[in-house]
Amino acid sequence: MKAFTYERAASAEAAAQIAASNPHAKFIAGGTNLLDLMKLQIETPTHLIDVNGLDLDEIEPTAEGGLRIGALVRNTDLAAHEIVRRDYPLLARALLSGASGQLRNRATTGGNLLQRTRCPYFYDTNQPCNKRQPGSGCSAIGGFSRQHAVLGVSDACIATHPSDMAVAMRALDAVVETVKADGSRRVIPLADFHRLPGDTPHIETVLEQGEIIAAVCLPPPIGGTQIYRKVRDRASYAFALVSVAAVIQPDGSGRITLGGVAHKPWRIEDAEAQLPNGAQATAAVLLAGARPTDQNRFKLALVERLLSAVIAQAKD
């Protein structure tokens, strides 16, 4: 780990101003991903801005009937919150399927959205990686790619986003509330928050330099049967090969978001119109344009099987 300086921010606005004035600064909250990356010298910030003391750890109802979740709310607290368990069980189930209890006790809502890919080539500094070192190449293309993306990929990157929480939040139409360096705030639909890799896979979100996540807001609850299914290589503490976040209404309509298949939670609203027609028809739209490798082609069949299981479970 390389040497760095450290300070505690007094407010979200102050944190944003500090980060905007120093392109080599990083925010630190739970640190469950950043510290690992610093030890491997994948992330080498010269200055850490500790945001743990900011007043961003509340879960509170919104005037519109939804829920505002502070960026520093821990994953354990969010999954256990009474309103989340009652009105947004999809989110609680997704959170509890991710990481270990110890990690969920430290990980935060904002940090979860910003965690970086678990592509093994990204973590191996002896291998080229366009996400870690722009322009160096992608070792996953032509390499071991069983866990990699099949949708939204580019010739520069086939990494996936690792979050379970984000997949559920995308299905729930969450929006991200941020604070910019000039003190202004903006609201970003989660659908637009993460970028596809294109030829700049190192730029993963639409956040500006210094912009800090203050909260994530959920719209009013939509009811329905809420299901989160995740297929992984072992029963716990593993990232998804494929996951499905679903909200199915009694009339068969609903929402579907996939995880483990792309650079971001993957939701195609046009596919949801096919839900009453079954898993095959829905998967055909969701997977249109897929570019699998020989090693991860199985994900296409797995998506359809998971959708079939979700639809059957919703009918029970």
Side-chain angles (χ1 to χ4, degrees), residues 104-184:
R104 291 195 295 269
N105 289 341
R106 288 296 305 165
T108 63
T109 299
N112 193 305
L113 295 179
L114 297 175
Q115 64 180 306
R116 308 199 68 186
T117 182
R118 262 61 180 183
C119 173
Y121 298 105
F122 174 74
Y123 283 80
D124 184 350
T125 55
N126 293 311
Q127 301 284 342
C129 172
N130 286 321
K131 184 179 285 294
R132 174 169 29 82
Q133 186 176 353
S136 62
C138 176
S139 301
I141 297 175
F144 181 69
S145 56
R146 181 171 178 273
Q147 294 183 322
H148 288 77
V150 296
L151 292 161
V153 300
S154 73
D155 292 336
C157 184
I158 59 172
T160 58
H161 194 271
S163 172
D164 294 291
M165 183 196 79
V167 179
M169 286 186 164
R170 176 69 180 91
L172 294 169
D173 277 339
V175 298
V176 182
E177 179 184 315
T178 68
V179 177
K180 300 169 73 170
D182 62 3
S184 63

Side-chain angles (χ1 to χ4, degrees), residues 151 256 258 266 268 270-275 277-290 299-305 307-308 311:
L151 292 161
I256 295 289
L258 303 177
W266 193 261
I268 304 293
D270 286 347
E272 294 164 2
Q274 296 297 324
L275 271 172
N277 298 322
Q280 186 176 27
T282 307
V285 181
L286 275 170
L287 300 174
K299 289 191 175 189
L300 305 185
L302 192 54
V303 166
E304 184 177 328
R305 291 172 187 168
L307 286 174
S308 180
I311 293 171

Side-chain angles (χ1 to χ4, degrees), residues 18-38:
I18 297 166
S21 65
N22 183 349
H24 302 295
K26 287 281 185 181
F27 302 122
I28 185 165
T32 55
N33 190 201
L34 178 60
L35 290 179
D36 285 343
L37 295 172
M38 289 174 66

